[in-house]
Amino acid sequence: MVASIDGQLRQSWNADPGTARLPWPAIEVLPAGQTPQSACPGAGSAASEAGSVQSSALYCAAGGRVLLDRTRLAKEASRHGEWGVAYWVGIGLGTAILGQRPTARRSAAAANLQANCLAGVLIGGTSLQPTPQDPPRPDQLVAPANGAYGTAAAEQMGTRSQRSYALLTGFGMTELAGCSDGAMAQLARDQVPDPALLGALATGTDRAAFNTMAVMNRRCRRLPNSPCPRRVPPFTGQK
């Protein structure tokens, strides 16, 4: 499954002007029982000092690899199928993109929201999509982002609704212009141009505003300076 997703996302990466010239990070599924933090030199101590939560995917700058937690990924596959695995591979690639640019002054939450948004851009360039369900679940499209971390991790990883909104922004399905530093900082403060959608994502009950199939069939919204499909923002001063 990861190999199939890897191939599609690599095509999306190569087709996007913002990533086409960046080195493609190797995608590595770790042996059972090994965590990405333990497999990446220096990541364990850095995560401990920052109080970071465990993640199913980690970009390891040492060797330029996206490391995936096999056990956690298996649980994602059982919950969300291929879509859940694609989300985490996309998150790993999103953090890899951010790792290619100078460190920006942004909160931990805004940085993770940006990785979610970039994951949406890359996944949006593929044919990957959730398996249709009957009846449709209103949160199916964003379920992996919504359940990625517990509520206690909101300060570092963004709230459930913010992560879901960031993923949809990458798909071009919100009124927020894109994945820029400024846009993600706004989202981290709940300052978005379509607060009703953010509120619906928080509850997951507003089928009129957030029906799974309706969102999946919604076209990318054309906004000023925001092409369809969405693109990775042209970060300046890349490493």
Side-chain angles (χ1 to χ4, degrees):
M1 184 183 289
V2 170
S4 173
I5 292 168
D6 180 315
Q8 292 195 58
L9 286 173
R10 187 165 189 169
Q11 290 182 12
S12 181
W13 178 286
N14 291 334
D16 194 300
T19 48
R21 295 185 179 181
L22 296 179
W24 171 258
I27 311 294
E28 182 178 344
V29 182
L30 298 171
Q34 189 173 20
T35 66
Q37 287 78 5
S38 67
C40 180
S45 59
S48 177
E49 291 174 6
S52 299
V53 296
Q54 292 285 325
S55 176
S56 301
L58 174 73
Y59 172 65
C60 185
R65 301 170 296 160
V66 170
L67 304 178
L68 302 174
D69 187 313
R70 182 182 296 269
T71 302
R72 289 172 178 263
L73 217 61
K75 292 180 180 179
E76 288 297 310
S78 67
R79 291 172 185 154
H80 310 297
E82 184 182 53
W83 187 247
V85 177
Y87 168 77
W88 280 110
V89 177
I91 289 295
L93 293 174
T95 55
I97 294 170
L98 296 177
Q100 295 294 323
R101 54 179 296 217
T103 302
R105 289 187 176 181
R106 61 188 185 282
S107 67
N112 189 56
L113 294 176
Q114 197 165 34
N116 276 263
C117 189
L118 294 171
V121 171
L122 293 173
I123 296 171
T126 72
S127 61
L128 295 164
Q129 59 181 324
T131 302
Q133 294 186 358
D134 186 20
R137 285 174 42 193
D139 63 344
Q140 186 185 7
L141 193 68
V142 297
N146 184 284
Y149 305 98
T151 303
E155 186 175 349
Q156 290 175 268
M157 301 302 187
T159 65
R160 297 177 186 275
S161 56
Q162 288 170 350
R163 293 193 303 269
S164 299
Y165 186 99
L167 184 66
L168 291 178
T169 297
F171 295 146
M173 295 176 177
T174 74
E175 296 294 340
L176 200 59
C179 306
S180 68
D181 291 346
M184 294 299 101
Q186 285 180 252
L187 176 56
R189 298 190 298 268
D190 284 341
Q191 296 174 349
V192 296
D194 45 356
L197 175 59
L198 187 62
L201 291 169
T203 61
T205 57
D206 190 345
R207 291 176 179 268
F210 190 57
N211 176 277
T212 304
M213 300 310 295
V215 172
M216 288 175 63
N217 293 329
R218 185 190 295 173
R219 300 280 182 184
C220 174
R221 298 186 177 191
R222 294 191 176 276
L223 300 174
N225 302 315
S226 300
C228 285
R230 293 290 187 263
R231 297 294 188 186
V232 173
F235 299 123
T236 58
Q238 290 178 339
K239 292 181 180 178

